Amino acid sequence: MKNLLTLTFRYYAALAGLLWLLSIPLSFVLIRHLVVQDVDEALLSRKSELSRLLPVANSQLLRYLPYTDSNVHLTPSRTPALPDRLYDTVYYLPYLHEWEPHRELASSLRIGGQPYRLLIRQSLVESDDFIMTITGLQTGIFMLLLLGLGVINRQTTRRLWHPFTDALHRIRQFRLEADPTPVWPATQVAEFGELHRALGSLISRNQAAYASQKQFAENASHEMQTPVAVILAQLELLFQTETRSEADLIHVQQAADAARRLAHINRALLLLTQIENQQFAEAQPVSLGTVLAKLLTANTDFIQHKALVVHHTQVGNSQVLMNLHLAEVLLGNLLRNAIRHAPVGGSLTCAVTAASVTIANTGEPLPFPAETLFDRFVKNPALPDATGLGLAIARQIATRYGLSLSYTYDADKKEHEFRLELAGSV
């Protein structure tokens, strides 16, 4: 994409180029018309002088006139007087060895009662000389115009647009969760002043909305988790009561499982809200290979329970600048998803390089379209206890830090693969 100053200069240059192309033929036609008009006036003036001189001149002047002025030809004629006629013609000049354009006047005179035919000619500038001269002149003017436009565009225009570029730089560096409302410098351009006021108002509203959402997330996290914890505690007491029948205990267990799932969904939704609101501002260089190795160790019991064959390789230093907790959540969700959906006795592959992290597991194809895999509450019907939020959270974290998270399925190997491209590696 081109910046505004470059595009503006291109439009100016295009307009100047169009005017340059049009000015050459127009200048040629106009200048040639003026030259021909001036030559015609000179020819008519010359004829007027000869018409006054020749009738009173002697025969010697008539005889030597062609030798004294080669551009004047006076010959006896039998035709009556003819009107003046001006036209273009060419004559071969022996001393130049070329044909030259001329302007010629054909007229008639009566001298001593005898009619004469009068031809007066005058040399014109050649058309190619005209064109070359005009083209060179217009090209010089065009180049000077472009140079002037370039200087104006680079100096004056940049100075005029400085408030805009300064505002753009401030917005790029602005962090909603940490920075105060920017203080804009004074400007004499009314439009930029209006832009500053609109940006200030927009940022203030977003800061208020951000603070409100942050407070809501914190309150919801506290107010919703507390009653869920109380419900679980009471259900646990009911489960331990000896007077309850087997059927009652089954209902109590189902209610406890639903409460635990509700607590898990609550934490996941609150985490998504916090990620969207960029409440995890702290960032540091994080080795994803180290994080993944710790997660594999932490999930050893889960892996052994399903008798999975693990293939873990690491080549290179996979570091990204991000929040450590979110890095653990991102890789943890991908790893637990792979373990949960892998069949008993299947395989789990974890490959780490300097440019990517890959987590794959064997399994049957997805029971839903692959393009909806990262949507919220999309899950395998065979696993009703799943929340359907783990991969949505993983995609949200990856997007937050400019990483690319993709999914592919190899039908031949029956393998699901999640690949995280470390575009933000450090």
Side-chain angles (χ1 to χ4, degrees), residues 122-402:
Q122 184 168 330
S123 177
L124 294 174
V125 180
E126 294 185 7
S127 297
D128 54 350
D129 294 337
F130 250 130
I131 295 174
M132 291 299 296
T133 302
I134 294 173
T135 302
L137 178 61
Q138 295 294 342
T139 301
I141 296 175
F142 175 68
M143 296 305 295
L144 290 175
L145 177 61
L146 285 184
L147 179 61
L149 289 175
V151 172
I152 294 175
N153 187 70
R154 179 172 293 274
Q155 301 299 327
T156 307
T157 309
R158 284 183 183 274
R159 186 167 60 253
L160 291 175
W161 281 89
H162 176 70
F164 174 81
T165 56
D166 177 70
L168 185 61
H169 174 72
R170 289 170 178 261
I171 292 298
R172 285 174 176 171
Q173 302 297 324
F174 180 75
R175 295 185 304 167
L176 185 64
E177 70 279 2
D179 296 338
T181 303
V183 178
W184 310 105
T187 176
Q188 296 180 349
V189 182
E191 289 77 7
F192 291 148
E194 185 67 24
L195 174 65
H196 290 166
R197 289 189 290 272
L199 288 175
S201 176
L202 177 63
I203 291 174
S204 298
R205 291 197 302 270
N206 284 336
Q207 287 176 326
Y210 172 80
S212 176
Q213 290 180 357
K214 182 179 179 181
Q215 184 177 8
F216 167 79
E218 293 172 351
N219 294 339
S221 177
H222 179 267
E223 298 298 332
M224 293 183 67
Q225 289 181 11
T226 299
V228 170
V230 173
I231 292 173
L232 287 172
Q234 296 298 323
L235 290 174
E236 184 65 23
L237 291 176
L238 288 174
F239 190 78
Q240 294 177 0
T241 302
E242 296 180 356
T243 60
R244 298 294 176 184
S245 65
E246 187 70 22
D248 291 339
L249 292 178
I250 292 175
H251 290 304
V252 171
Q253 184 63 46
Q254 290 176 345
D257 292 340
R260 292 189 186 93
R261 184 169 179 270
L262 176 61
H264 185 62
I265 292 176
N266 176 53
R267 288 193 298 269
L269 289 175
L270 290 175
L271 179 60
L272 275 172
T273 302
Q274 290 172 338
I275 295 172
E276 291 174 351
N277 292 338
Q278 299 184 4
Q279 293 179 221
F280 297 90
E282 302 82 6
Q284 64 186 69
V286 177
S287 174
L288 296 185
T290 302
V291 174
L292 183 58
K294 292 180 179 179
L295 290 171
L296 282 170
T297 302
N299 287 273
T300 299
D301 294 341
F302 193 12
I303 294 172
Q304 291 178 350
H305 176 72
K306 300 195 71 171
L308 300 179
V309 179
V310 179
H311 304 280
H312 180 209
T313 59
Q314 181 171 347
V315 180
N317 183 25
S318 55
Q319 282 196 339
V320 294
L321 188 65
M322 62 185 304
N323 182 274
L324 177 59
H325 174 64
L326 292 185
E328 294 173 347
V329 173
L330 168 61
L331 295 180
N333 286 1
L334 294 177
L335 181 61
R336 285 188 291 272
N337 176 81
I339 297 173
R340 182 181 299 111
H341 291 87
V344 176
S347 66
L348 174 67
T349 302
C350 298
V352 180
T353 68
S356 65
V357 174
T358 302
I359 299 177
N361 65 277
T362 55
E364 296 299 321
L366 295 175
F368 48 81
E371 57 269 17
T372 65
L373 180 62
F374 295 101
D375 293 345
R376 299 181 183 184
F377 301 108
V378 175
K379 58 184 179 180
N380 191 337
L383 299 173
D385 293 337
T387 62
L389 293 172
L391 294 180
I393 292 174
R395 168 62 68 84
Q396 190 72 30
I397 296 173
T399 303
R400 166 71 174 81
Y401 292 101

Side-chain angles (χ1 to χ4, degrees), residues 39-117:
V39 170
D40 288 349
E41 292 177 356
L43 292 175
L44 292 173
S45 176
R46 179 63 171 157
K47 177 208 170 184
S48 178
E49 293 177 359
L50 292 175
S51 64
R52 291 195 304 270
L53 176 64
L54 291 177
V56 297
N58 55 33
S59 60
Q60 295 291 335
L61 181 59
L62 293 176
R63 185 181 309 138
Y64 291 105
L65 182 62
Y67 301 100
T68 59
D69 191 348
S70 60
N71 291 324
V72 178
H73 294 271
L74 190 63
T75 57
S77 174
R78 297 180 179 178
T79 59
L82 296 175
D84 295 341
R85 186 165 63 92
L86 293 162
Y87 52 89
D88 294 330
T89 185
V90 293
Y91 284 98
Y92 183 77
L93 303 181
Y95 55 90
L96 294 178
H97 304 289
E98 63 179 8
W99 294 85
E100 289 288 337
H102 286 72
R103 187 72 171 169
E104 192 168 67
L105 169 64
S107 184
S108 59
L109 290 177
R110 181 171 293 275
I111 304 173
Q114 173 67 34
Y116 284 85
R117 178 174 176 78

